[in-house]
């Protein structure tokens, strides 16, 4: 056999594939360090997988370094065993051994699997913010046989991936692990880095034709392995390394914001959805957003349709409580929802409990809410809504009602049918009646749930940023005394009336400064978003749990003019932001102090000379935030006109440039190699030139799927004579083979379309 026959010669390839000894010699000659490199790749991947698995299942009590010391030598042994002629027997032996270990482990410690299920349920709860029930009452996994069984299976899978003749299994595996890492299922950054470093090494081995024992027939496709591995590794580095200013949190936030806009938002949305950094003026419009249809005439009162709810103030915007924090309230919300208590509809639940106690006449009013162009993520639920099937009993936290939960036929997916309790509007009267009837069974059950929920509220909705604490300390005093809700709201209204001027066109270029500090110190103007943000944080400063809300407002005038059964359309002109505070015993109450929108019926404020109504509480609750820590205020500066750095796009451009560079390098490398081999054909002696050209032709026919090209028997015989005989081939036979090669190239080009010709020439590099 000729020493340097072209790699695509089908005859040579078939011989090598049928003889494992020749395979090993062939590959050992090309890469003396093949076994070492593959073992290094396998150990890197296995180390990464072990760290990822241990991060997913914290109940495993075995030390991770002990597991690595046991499994890494095992993986090396498997890699060597499966590469030889005992591959099938080795796989069978490993499967039998793993099965025996599984049986032994289940018999000695049957609850261990339950501990792993608990870990997975807890992780899903942390990631989704929904309740996933635990399986058994056990928190430790101690079964060594089951661990060894899992280690054997993982090692076997990784070795088979490395030894596979195709790139797709390794790419699919890498994609699955990357997706799980990005989704947060695996939390070990070092594990992800080790795993993808091993994948990169494996891909490099494949692209350099060192990674498989059989000579690849379609090696020009192997660049997919390197290109994909480079992409995966680049994203893994972004995911794993601790950037200072280019944090992964900011990257993920930008990515999720983009996905949110694509999936839920329309181009006409006028509210910022809690994003306050460099906030522009209010771009209201007459675009229809919601359609409201009621079975009865509406009372002359406003309705707030609550959408996005901001729970955590970051200084640059409002976000939701993170799922990891919410997962700690797993048991509380499971118990609340089992008892039919939901924080979104507490006012109506209080009215229902009072009706059951005979202390209130209860009435219902049906309403249909159709989402025309508002954000499709939320149901815009009024505060007077009665509990229905649109509430998710698995959701931890009760800030938002997500539209995905309400399952209707596709043609009605934007229509929400609800029942309203008009009596729930008079919340202070409800509070008084609830206090009077607290010994009644229905009210007692309601109040027991409400008190448990209130503990969650007070724990999570009183946080302030240091900048906000400092500026409010200057505005209201370092340590505000305990005050009633009436006194607190009066102070807040007076402060905002003095510090802010209503202006819908107000731009707030706060940059990296705290939004509230900038608004109160420099901006001095704003619209509903500014007022709601300041009001919510001021309430918290005085010890009143509060949140920020965006949605739509149906005014008293619109309610008075409404005709039952007709559709009332709310436009983006009706989009609005407001604060809400928690009224003990009743739940969340809207607090709107934006000039032109103030409704004193919603405020616990009585005008001078007024007397308390008969159903008002005898003594108002007093609030005081005892956990305030005052720090020096850092005065905000006006940022220059330069746009703040957008690191998401910077990293995206870097990654794109990296991929383009890798692709260019790969194309240049393959084309230079092709030119070298074509030059070898031209310079070789007659025998070798004939076999090289024949192998090149068969490769072209196979790769371009040109099965219509029939290899003449004369050409086939010339190739066999050049390979297996001792004859010196003459020039005429060399010329015949060269002419046949030109014919094959011409036919392959003519039968392929323009796109395929580009692929053949510049990506697959089949010809010059």
């Amino acid at each position: 056999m000729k020493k340097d026959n072209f790699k695509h010669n089908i005859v040579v390839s078939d011989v090598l594939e049928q003889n494992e000894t020749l395979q090993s010699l062939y590959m050992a000659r090309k890469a003396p360090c093949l076994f070492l490199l593959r073992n290094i790749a396998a150990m890197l991947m296995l180390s990464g997988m072990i760290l990822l698995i241990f991060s997913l299942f914290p109940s495993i009590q075995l030390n991770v370094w002990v597991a690595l010391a046991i499994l890494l030598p095992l993986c090396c042994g498997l890699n060597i065993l499966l590469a030889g002629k005992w591959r099938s027997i080795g796989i069978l032996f490993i499967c039998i051994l793993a099965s025996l270990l599984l049986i032994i482990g289940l018999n000695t410690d049957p609850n261990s699997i339950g501990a792993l299920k608990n870990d997975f349920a807890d992780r899903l709860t942390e990631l989704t913010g929904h309740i996933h029930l635990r399986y058994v009452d056990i928190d430790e996994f101690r079964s060594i046989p089951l661990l060894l069984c899992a280690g054997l299976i993982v090692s076997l899978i990784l070795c088979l991936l490395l030894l596979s003749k195709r790139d797709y299994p390794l790419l699919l595996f890498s994609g699955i692990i990357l997706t799980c890492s990005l989704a947060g299922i695996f939390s070990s950054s070092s594990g992800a880095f080790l795993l993808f470093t091993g994948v990169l090494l494996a891909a490099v081995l494949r692209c350099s034709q060192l990674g498989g024992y059989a000579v690849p027939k379609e090696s020009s496709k192997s660049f997919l392995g390197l290109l994909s591995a480079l992409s995966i590794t680049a994203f893994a580095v972004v995911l794993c390394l601790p950037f200072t200013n280019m944090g992964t949190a900011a990257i993920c936030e930008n990515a999720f914001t983009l996905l949110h806009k694509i999936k839920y938002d329309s181009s006409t949305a006028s509210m910022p959805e809690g994003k306050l950094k460099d906030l522009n003026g209010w771009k209201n419009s007459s675009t229809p957003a919601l359609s409201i249809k009621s079975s009865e005439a509406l009372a002359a009162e406003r309705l707030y349709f609550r959408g996005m709810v901001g729970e955590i103030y970051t200084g640059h915007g409002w976000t939701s409580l993170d799922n990891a924090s919410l997962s700690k309230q797993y048991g509380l919300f499971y118990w609340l929802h089992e008892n039919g208590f939901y924080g979104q509809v507490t006012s109506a639940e209080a009215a229902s409990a009072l009706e059951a106690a005979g202390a209130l006449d209860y009435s219902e009013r049906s309403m249909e809410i159709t989402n025309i162009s508002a954000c499709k993520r939320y149901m815009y639920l009024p505060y007077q809504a009665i509990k229905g099937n649109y509430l998710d009993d698995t959701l931890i936290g009760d800030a938002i009602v997500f539209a995905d939960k309400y399952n209707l036929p596709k043609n009605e997916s934007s229509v929400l049918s609800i029942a309203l309790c008009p009596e729930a509007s008079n919340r202070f009267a409800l509070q008084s009646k609830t206090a009077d009837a607290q010994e009644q069974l229905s009210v007692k059950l309601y109040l027991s749930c409400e008190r448990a929920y209130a503990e969650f509220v007070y724990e999570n909705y009183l946080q302030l940023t240091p900048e906000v604490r400092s500026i409010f300390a200057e505005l209201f005093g370092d340590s505000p005394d305990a005050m009633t809700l009436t006194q607190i709201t009066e102070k807040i209204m007076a402060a905002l009336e003095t510090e802010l001027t209503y202006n819908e066109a107000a731009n707030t270029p706060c940059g990296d400064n705290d939004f509230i500090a900038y608004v109160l110190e420099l901006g001095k103007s704003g619209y509903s978003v500014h007022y709601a943000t300041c009001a919510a944080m001021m309430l918290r400063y005085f010890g009143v749990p509060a949140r920020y809300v965006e949605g739509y407002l149906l005014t008293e005038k619109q309610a008075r003019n409404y005709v039952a059964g007709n559709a009332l359309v709310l436009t983006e002109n009706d989009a609005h932001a407001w604060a809400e505070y928690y009224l003990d015993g009743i739940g969340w109450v809207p607090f709107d102090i934006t000039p032109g929108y103030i409704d004193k019926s919603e405020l616990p404020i009585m005008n001078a000379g007024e007397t308390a109504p008969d159903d008002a509480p005898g003594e108002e609750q007093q609030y005081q935030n005892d956990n305030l820590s005052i720090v020096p205020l850092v005065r905000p500066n006006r940022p220059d006109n330069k746009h703040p750095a957008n690191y998401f796009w910077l990293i995206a451009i870097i990654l794109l440039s990296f991929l383009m560079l890798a692709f260019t390098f790969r194309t240049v490398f393959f084309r230079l190699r092709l030119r070298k081999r074509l030059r070898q054909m031209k310079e070789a002696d007659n025998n070798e030139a004939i076999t090289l050209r024949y192998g090149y032709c068969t490769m072209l026919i196979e790769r371009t799927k040109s099965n219509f090209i029939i290899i003449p028997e004369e050409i086939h015989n010339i190739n066999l004579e050049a390979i297996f005989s001792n004859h010196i081939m003459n020039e005429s036979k060399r010329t015949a083979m060269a002419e046949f090669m030109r014919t094959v190239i011409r036919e392959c080009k003519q039968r392929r379309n323009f796109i395929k010709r580009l692929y053949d020439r510049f990506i697959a590099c089949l010809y010059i």
Side-chain angles (χ1 to χ4, degrees):
M1 182 181 299
K2 300 290 182 181
K3 179 178 180 180
D4 293 319
N5 277 352
F6 192 77
K7 67 165 186 166
H8 292 294
N9 193 314
I10 302 301
V11 176
V12 177
S13 297
D14 290 342
V15 171
L16 287 173
E17 290 176 0
Q18 295 170 9
N19 191 320
E20 293 185 357
T21 302
L22 289 179
Q23 282 184 12
S24 300
L25 292 174
Y26 178 81
M27 297 309 299
R29 184 191 66 199
K30 295 198 68 176
C33 58
L34 172 64
F35 290 101
L36 177 61
L37 291 175
R38 186 183 293 108
N39 278 324
I40 291 174
M43 288 190 291
L44 287 172
M45 293 173 65
L46 180 61
S47 300
M49 279 301 301
I50 291 174
L51 292 175
L52 292 177
I53 291 172
F54 272 63
S55 71
L56 177 59
F57 301 109
S59 65
I60 298 177
Q61 298 301 303
L62 184 65
N63 186 284
V64 64
W65 299 110
V66 174
L68 288 172
I70 295 174
L71 294 176
L72 287 181
L74 176 65
C75 183
C76 293
L78 279 177
N79 199 24
I80 296 173
L81 176 65
L82 299 180
K85 62 181 181 180
W86 303 104
R87 178 172 181 171
S88 299
I89 297 177
I91 294 175
L92 179 61
F93 173 75
I94 295 301
C95 292
I96 294 174
L97 181 58
S99 301
L100 291 175
L101 290 172
L102 178 64
I103 295 172
I104 295 172
L106 292 177
N107 286 332
T108 56
D109 194 355
N111 290 327
S112 291
I113 300 297
L116 299 183
K117 290 181 178 179
N118 287 345
D119 288 339
F120 192 70
D122 291 344
R123 180 55 57 85
L124 288 180
T125 299
E126 291 178 10
L127 293 174
T128 63
H130 287 71
I131 297 171
H132 293 271
L133 297 177
R134 294 168 65 89
Y135 293 86
V136 293
D137 187 18
I138 184 172
D139 295 322
E140 292 185 359
F141 180 91
R142 299 177 176 176
S143 179
I144 301 301
L146 288 177
L147 282 175
L148 291 175
C149 172
L152 280 173
I153 296 299
V154 171
S155 301
L156 178 62
I157 292 173
L158 293 178
C159 290
L160 291 177
L161 288 174
L162 289 172
L163 292 170
S164 174
K165 298 177 182 178
R166 298 182 178 274
D167 296 322
Y168 306 111
L170 185 60
L171 295 178
L172 178 62
F173 170 78
S174 304
I176 292 173
I177 298 299
L178 175 63
T179 302
C180 293
S181 298
L182 291 173
I185 295 177
F186 297 123
S187 59
S188 174
S189 58
S190 56
F193 183 76
L194 288 174
L195 176 65
F196 290 114
T197 301
V199 171
L200 176 62
L201 178 57
V204 170
L205 291 175
R206 284 180 177 276
C207 284
S208 60
Q209 301 182 33
L210 301 177
Y213 285 100
V215 179
K217 296 180 181 179
E218 299 183 353
S219 62
S220 62
K221 288 185 178 180
S222 63
F223 83 96
L224 291 174
L226 178 60
L227 194 60
S228 302
L230 290 173
S231 305
I232 291 171
T233 305
F235 280 107
V237 169
V238 173
L239 176 72
C240 301
L241 295 182
F243 291 94
T244 52
N245 294 325
M246 296 184 291
T248 56
I251 299 170
C252 292
E253 181 182 357
N254 285 328
F256 284 122
T257 298
L258 178 61
L259 291 175
H260 176 90
K261 288 183 178 180
I262 294 173
K263 184 176 181 180
Y264 298 114
D265 286 348
S266 67
S267 59
T268 59
S270 59
M271 287 286 106
E273 292 200 59
K275 297 172 180 61
L276 306 179
K277 187 173 182 179
D278 296 324
L279 182 67
N280 294 320
W282 182 28
K283 298 179 181 178
N284 54 339
S285 69
S286 58
T287 304
L290 297 179
S291 175
I292 311 300
K293 183 183 291 186
S294 177
S295 60
E296 301 177 14
L298 300 176
E301 62 185 22
R302 63 176 58 189
L303 287 175
Y304 289 90
F305 294 89
R306 179 168 53 180
M308 177 265 171
V309 176
E311 299 174 279
I312 298 176
Y313 176 72
T314 64
H316 303 123
W318 289 94
T319 63
S320 300
L321 287 169
D322 62 281
N323 291 332
S325 298
L326 287 173
S327 65
K328 298 175 183 177
Q329 306 293 336
Y330 167 101
L332 170 63
F333 282 92
Y334 179 76
W335 176 76
L336 290 175
H337 296 164
E338 282 286 295
N339 286 280
F341 183 93
Y342 295 83
Q344 301 98 326
V345 293
T346 47
S347 298
E349 286 298 294
S352 177
L354 288 171
E355 184 200 31
L360 181 70
D361 291 330
Y362 189 84
S363 62
E364 290 187 11
R365 183 173 65 214
S366 63
M367 177 179 285
E368 283 188 358
I369 304 171
T370 303
N371 190 332
I372 301 174
S373 66
C375 179
K376 298 295 190 295
R377 188 185 187 205
Y378 314 112
M379 290 184 188
Y380 293 88
L381 200 67
Y383 286 85
Q384 296 88 343
I386 296 172
K387 180 175 59 181
N389 64 342
Y390 46 80
L391 296 174
D392 189 350
D393 57 358
T394 68
L395 183 66
I396 304 176
D398 290 314
I400 301 174
V401 182
F402 293 101
D404 294 340
K405 175 61 180 175
Y406 195 55
N407 296 319
L408 288 173
K410 290 183 179 180
N411 59 340
E412 300 179 4
S413 59
S414 61
V415 180
L416 171 64
S417 298
I418 61 173
L420 297 183
C421 172
E423 288 76 9
S425 300
N426 195 348
R427 298 172 183 85
F428 301 105
L430 280 180
Q431 186 185 42
S432 177
K433 292 180 179 180
T434 302
D436 293 338
Q438 59 184 307
E439 297 302 324
Q440 299 295 324
L441 182 61
S442 59
V443 178
K444 184 180 293 187
L445 176 60
Y446 163 77
L447 287 177
S448 66
C449 294
E450 188 275 332
R451 283 296 83 203
Y453 176 66
E455 290 182 9
F456 164 79
V457 169
Y458 278 85
E459 180 182 345
N460 290 280
Y461 301 122
L462 286 174
Q463 287 84 359
L464 299 168
T465 63
E467 293 82 3
V468 167
R469 287 174 178 170
S470 297
I471 198 169
F472 287 171
E474 290 189 354
L475 191 60
F476 299 112
D478 288 350
S479 300
D481 297 329
M483 291 183 287
T484 65
L485 196 56
T486 298
Q487 295 170 327
I488 292 170
T489 52
E490 285 176 340
K491 276 186 170 290
I492 292 174
M493 291 186 68
L496 290 179
E497 185 177 355
T498 302
E499 300 293 331
L500 287 184
T501 302
Y502 185 77
N503 180 11
E504 293 181 359
N507 291 321
T508 314
C510 55
D512 292 327
N513 297 312
D514 185 275
F515 177 80
I516 292 178
Y518 185 90
V519 169
L520 296 180
E521 291 289 327
L522 296 175
K524 296 293 186 179
S525 65
Y527 48 95
S528 63
V529 174
H530 302 73
Y531 280 87
T533 298
C534 292
M537 298 303 286
M538 287 177 178
L539 285 167
R540 291 186 178 189
Y541 183 77
F542 289 107
V544 182
R547 304 188 298 203
Y548 168 88
V549 186
E550 291 179 8
Y552 294 88
L553 172 62
L554 189 153
T555 63
E556 299 92 330
K557 181 180 179 180
Q558 291 171 310
R560 281 195 300 268
N561 296 332
Y562 177 74
V563 178
N566 290 349
L568 189 157
V569 177
L570 298 179
T571 69
E572 287 301 319
N573 286 321
D574 301 304
H576 194 54
W578 62 92
E580 63 179 13
Y581 63 86
Y582 192 80
L583 183 63
D584 287 353
I586 300 303
W588 294 103
V589 178
F591 181 60
D592 192 355
I593 57 172
T594 303
Y597 294 88
I598 298 174
D599 181 10
K600 290 189 176 182
S601 66
E602 296 285 354
L603 302 175
I605 300 176
M606 293 181 294
N607 295 327
E610 287 188 355
T611 58
D614 295 336
D615 56 1
E619 183 178 347
E620 278 197 71
Q621 176 184 351
Q622 291 192 330
Y623 295 85
Q624 184 174 20
N625 196 339
D626 299 324
N627 299 319
L628 293 179
S629 59
I630 307 302
V631 297
L633 175 64
V634 178
R635 299 290 180 182
N637 297 317
R638 288 189 181 275
D640 56 24
N641 293 325
K642 294 181 180 179
H643 294 289
N646 190 331
Y647 293 114
F648 172 79
W649 293 112
L650 175 62
I651 292 179
I653 292 172
I654 292 174
L655 290 177
L656 181 61
S657 302
F658 176 77
L659 293 179
M660 293 179 63
L661 181 63
F663 175 77
T664 304
F665 174 78
R666 177 261 161 204
T667 302
V668 171
F669 173 77
F670 275 80
R671 289 182 68 81
L672 288 176
R673 189 175 64 175
L674 177 61
R675 288 180 180 276
K676 178 181 177 181
R677 288 176 175 170
L678 291 176
R679 187 168 59 252
Q680 288 177 349
M681 295 179 195
K682 187 176 181 180
E683 296 174 354
D685 58 42
N686 291 344
N687 289 55
E688 188 173 359
I690 288 173
T691 58
L692 291 174
R693 285 171 174 165
Y694 183 86
Y696 178 67
C697 291
T698 55
M699 180 274 294
L700 277 180
I701 293 172
E702 181 181 358
R703 292 293 303 278
T704 59
K705 297 180 174 56
S706 303
N707 298 327
F708 58 89
I709 299 178
I710 305 299
I711 300 177
E713 184 176 355
E714 177 186 358
I715 296 297
H716 183 68
N717 291 334
I718 290 174
N719 177 63
L720 292 179
E721 182 181 358
I723 294 176
F724 297 107
S725 72
N726 294 323
H727 300 167
I728 303 297
M729 308 300 291
N730 57 36
E731 194 66 28
S732 62
K733 293 181 179 179
R734 176 177 181 146
T735 303
M737 187 63 71
E739 182 62 31
F740 175 67
M741 186 180 79
R742 287 190 289 270
T743 301
V744 169
I745 294 174
R746 184 174 60 254
E747 290 294 326
C748 289
K749 289 181 179 179
Q750 291 177 353
R751 298 300 181 105
R752 305 274 280 182
N753 59 35
F754 177 73
I755 301 298
K756 291 181 178 180
R757 286 200 301 273
L758 287 179
Y759 173 84
D760 293 342
R761 185 170 182 178
F762 296 105
I763 299 179
C765 298
L766 300 181
Y767 45 76
I768 301 300

